[in-house]
Amino acid sequence: MKDDEQGFSTRAVHAGRGFSENTGAVMPPVFLTSTFEAGNPEGFDYTRSGNPNFRLLDRTLAALEGAAHATCFASGVSAITAVVSTLKIGDVVFAEENVYGCTYRLFDKVFAKFGVRVIYADLSDPANWAKIAEVRPALVWLESPTNPLLKVVDIAGISAVAAAVQSPVLVDGTFATPYLQQPLALGATLCLHSTTKYINGHSDCLSGAVITNDAAWQAKMIFAQKALGLQPSPFDAWLTARGARTLALRMEQHSRTALALAGWIEGRPGVRFVRYPFLASHPQVELAKRQMRAGSGLIVLELDCDADAALAVCRRLKLFTLAESLGGVESLVCHPATMTHASVPRAVREQVGIGDGLIRLSVGIEDAEDLQADLAEALNGLTSRKG
Ligand SMILES: Cc1ncc(COP(=O)(O)O)c(C=O)c1O
């Protein structure tokens, strides 16, 4: 059987093996070395520009996306920095208006100083894609599903429009993972992940990656890793590769439990709305089902209350820890307005729909009944303004 004919989980467990080891170790060692003897057969020289643990992780991630290349980075934000660092003064990025708060901050507070301009639009509405032909952006930047509103953007549709004017499309697929969604197969040029999240899956390190079939983009990513010092530590690359092996199992469980909980939360007193990509009430549910294998583990809900009351609900939860981040085996809850998206100005936040009553659940792999009981208790204490 050829490697590319193997199933997702076989690739997750076996891709990238073959590290130079004579010990018979079934699992790869951690190559804790900053430098390598010149002239070694694998061509390594210095860990900022390559390490056997990076190579193994890169090969695993490329195999999972069905792609030719992957480059790992120190974090998702490092991966974003690597891509945006390829732009030059005067370049325009056409971006989804609901992107991760730190992506917005990087554009707004760092790359704006270097003359990179970002135009935001609601990319879940195809009517707004006409701007692509008009602006011919150096990059089209989207997340799908988006953080935190779980909007779903038509990757194939927007990629076709962008291809007509040679604008590369980057999809931040962190929420979906390669198990649930394959942006490159849908026509995107670059797929980016904060592998800190589901791909690692155990909340024990930070890492990121950019995956592509385009050799020129790959060369730029390798250059950025080395020239900007954006590489992960070998141990973090090892942890991420270890987590990736169980990605399919975890995503099935996250998605199954999240779908059940989202349906249960919907219509409860004090809940204004619930968004989950595979819920019948999601505005892009048909697209989500075409584009994704399942809905992933994130649920967003808006409570009929102010920020303090929303935070109080979060704090009453016992199995969902109030914390930044998502995608681990443990359930987390976050209040985007004061946490992940606190760096987005209030007016911008409110305009895109991140209100004070919004909370985001990252559903872990605990038993669904226990998570539901925890949510029931926390929501029962909610004093709805409608009372
Ligand atoms: C969609 C998305 N992209 C990128 C990042 C940044 O990743 P990291 O925290 O690994 O730098 C995050 C972090 O939450 C995210 O949610």
Side-chain angles (χ1 to χ4, degrees):
M1 184 190 287
K2 290 192 202 133
D3 288 358
D4 59 3
E5 288 169 359
Q6 292 171 344
F8 188 92
S9 284
T10 308
R11 282 178 277 147
V13 174
H14 290 279
R17 301 299 103 139
F19 34 86
S20 302
E21 264 291 285
N22 299 319
T23 61
V26 170
M27 286 298 143
V30 190
F31 289 85
L32 291 175
T33 181
S34 57
T35 193
F36 300 84
E37 185 176 359
N40 67 77
E42 302 276 347
F44 292 108
D45 58 13
Y46 190 59
T47 281
R48 179 149 38 76
S49 53
N51 174 289
N53 293 110
F54 304 176
R55 186 175 289 178
L56 190 141
L57 176 57
D58 291 346
R59 287 184 179 162
T60 302
L61 295 175
L64 297 186
E65 294 281 356
H69 314 286
T71 311
C72 58
F73 294 99
S75 65
V77 165
S78 305
I80 296 167
T81 302
V83 175
V84 186
S85 75
T86 64
L87 303 183
K88 58 184 187 318
I89 186 165
D91 278 347
V92 173
V93 179
F94 186 57
E96 159 57 35
E97 64 185 9
N98 169 214
V99 286
Y100 172 53
C102 296
T103 306
Y104 178 89
R105 184 172 61 192
L106 259 183
F107 284 139
D108 187 45
K109 297 272 186 266
V110 181
F111 288 103
K113 288 192 297 191
F114 298 100
V116 173
R117 193 159 65 91
V118 184
I119 300 175
Y120 293 98
D122 173 6
L123 300 188
S124 69
D125 181 356
N128 293 329
W129 300 348
K131 194 99 183 155
I132 295 175
E134 199 185 298
V135 180
R136 295 177 167 254
L139 267 179
V140 175
W141 191 286
L142 62 100
E143 288 173 17
S144 193
T146 65
N147 183 357
L149 294 169
L150 305 180
K151 285 162 64 179
V152 177
V153 180
D154 182 350
I155 298 171
I158 201 164
S159 297
V161 170
V165 291
Q166 283 92 46
S167 289
V169 173
L170 177 140
V171 177
D172 181 336
T174 298
F175 278 25
T177 82
Y179 181 66
L180 300 180
Q181 173 179 283
Q182 304 248 305
L184 302 181
L186 294 169
T189 319
L190 300 161
C191 178
L192 183 147
H193 293 286
S194 165
T195 50
T196 308
K197 316 297 181 196
Y198 286 111
I199 292 180
N200 170 285
H202 295 77
S203 305
D204 50 13
C205 79
L206 268 72
S207 52
V210 177
I211 299 132
T212 185
N213 284 316
D214 184 312
W217 269 106
Q218 173 62 8
K220 292 185 211 179
M221 292 302 94
I222 292 172
F223 176 81
Q225 185 194 57
K226 175 179 178 167
L228 302 181
L230 298 173
Q231 76 293 337
S233 80
F235 186 47
D236 289 352
W238 184 92
L239 282 169
T240 307
R242 182 177 67 164
R245 291 185 196 121
T246 54
L247 183 62
L249 291 171
R250 288 185 284 104
M251 293 319 292
E252 287 286 346
Q253 171 91 354
H254 286 298
S255 302
R256 192 168 42 244
T257 308
L259 177 61
L261 290 179
W264 174 81
I265 296 167
E266 201 164 45
R268 288 192 69 82
V271 176
R272 277 201 198 117
F273 68 79
V274 180
R275 284 277 174 281
Y276 181 75
F278 272 45
L279 213 53
S281 57
H282 190 287
Q284 294 108 22
V285 61
E286 293 311 321
L287 169 63
K289 288 188 171 172
R290 270 205 313 280
Q291 191 165 278
M292 298 171 70
R293 191 199 287 250
S296 193
L298 279 313
I299 303 172
V300 68
L301 52 142
E302 182 161 281
L303 302 175
D304 190 9
C305 64
D306 60 17
D308 288 344
L311 275 163
V313 170
C314 297
R315 291 200 179 98
R316 273 199 296 277
L317 286 161
K318 295 193 174 65
L319 295 177
F320 290 81
T321 304
L322 179 60
E324 302 260 354
S325 205
L326 60 108
V329 291
E330 72 295 333
S331 291
L332 299 179
V333 60
C334 146
H335 182 246
T338 56
M339 296 168 72
T340 50
H341 290 67
S343 56
V344 180
R346 186 181 191 91
V348 178
R349 247 196 307 113
E350 285 177 351
Q351 191 214 325
V352 300
I354 304 172
D356 286 347
L358 199 78
I359 69 175
R360 188 189 74 192
L361 301 173
S362 172
V363 175
I365 62 163
E366 302 94 331
D367 293 290
E369 314 76 61
D370 296 335
L371 295 177
Q372 183 175 316
D374 195 26
L375 283 164
E377 247 174 72
L379 289 171
N380 281 345
L382 177 67
T383 319
S384 162
R385 272 200 221 128
K386 284 178 188 152

